[in-house]
């Protein structure tokens, strides 16, 4: 996904950020958000039932802080055991203590649903498609610019265009081509659409559209920065729909069983790799 511009300080995905097993609970692929919540709920119930037994054994009440710390620690261990990446584990560990801290501050009750709604609007694709909001930095955008066809009038799509920064940069530098960003996370789409309109760029559009429902045959170049999860299905779709000679470019994520025709190493902080297939 694309950043709003600048040289970007976005961290790379890699195995540390998102294991392929994230959200694979007991062999069933489900949303990692739902899986993480289910783990927290199960541990909460277990500790609630166990608390009276422990208090009877030590003959004193168990402090609430101890309970939330125990819940976070156990949740982190269980989450890692199910194959989630380190950021998910960290989130699981710190979530219960943070919630207790927020409650101790006696914040207005409306703040929590507002925060939840904002998180859903931004990270919608994590919940429904296990695709995080990864951001393409400016150095990588420059590398993509060099990969674009020399001919005039080509059509490029960014599948999961995020905030639209990459496409705004490319469209400014290739006024002879057309660019479309496809995004389904509500808030990133709204911001990318607004920033696109405000930029005044005529050869750029943003669509609120599922990438698997898009017709890829209209594009000469397709770029994506998603996650390991959708890559096999997306690549098969690209092979079936994209025109002969068109380019499919993946930022960082491989397609199992399909070696790219070319790999470009980007000289940025995280050593980005652009994997390029010629259809």
């Amino acid at each position: 996904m694309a950043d709003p511009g600048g040289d970007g300080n976005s961290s790379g995905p890699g195995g540390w950020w998102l294991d392929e097993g994230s959200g694979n609970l007991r062999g069933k692929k489900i949303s990692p958000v739902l899986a993480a919540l289910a783990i927290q709920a199960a541990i909460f119930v277990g500790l609630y039932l166990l608390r009276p037994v422990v208090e009877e054994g030590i003959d004193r009440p168990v402090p609430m802080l101890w309970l939330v710390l125990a819940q976070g620690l156990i949740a982190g261990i269980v989450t890692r055991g199910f194959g989630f990446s380190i950021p998910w584990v960290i989130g699981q560990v710190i979530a219960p203590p943070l919630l207790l801290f927020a409650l101790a501050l006696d914040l207005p009750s409306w703040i929590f649903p507002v925060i939840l709604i904002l998180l859903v609007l931004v990270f919608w694709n994590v919940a429904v498609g296990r695709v995080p909001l990864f951001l393409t930095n400016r150095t990588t955008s420059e590398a993509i610019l060099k990969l674009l066809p020399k001919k005039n009038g080509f059509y490029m799509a960014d599948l999961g265009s995020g905030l639209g920064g990459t496409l705004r940069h490319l469209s400014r530098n290739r006024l002879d081509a057309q660019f479309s960003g496809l995004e389904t996370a509500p808030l990133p789409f709204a911001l990318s659409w607004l920033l696109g309109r405000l930029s005044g760029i005529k050869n750029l559009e943003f669509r609120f559209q599922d990438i698997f429902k898009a017709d890829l045959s209209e594009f000469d170049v397709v770029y994506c920065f998603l996650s390991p999860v959708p890559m096999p299905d997306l690549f098969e779709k690209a092979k079936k729909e994209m025109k002969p000679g068109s380019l499919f470019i993946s930022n960082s994520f491989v397609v199992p069983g399909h070696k790219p025709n070319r790999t470009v190493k980007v000289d940025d902080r995280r050593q980005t790799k652009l994997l390029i297939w010629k259809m």
Side-chain angles (χ1 to χ4, degrees), residues 243-260:
K243 298 184 290 284
S246 56
L247 298 180
F248 182 86
I249 305 173
S250 172
N251 186 327
S252 305
F253 298 111
V254 302
V255 179
H258 297 277
K259 186 177 179 180

Side-chain angles (χ1 to χ4, degrees), residues 105 122 214 220 251 271:
L105 291 177
V122 174
D220 301 290
N251 186 327
Q271 297 298 296

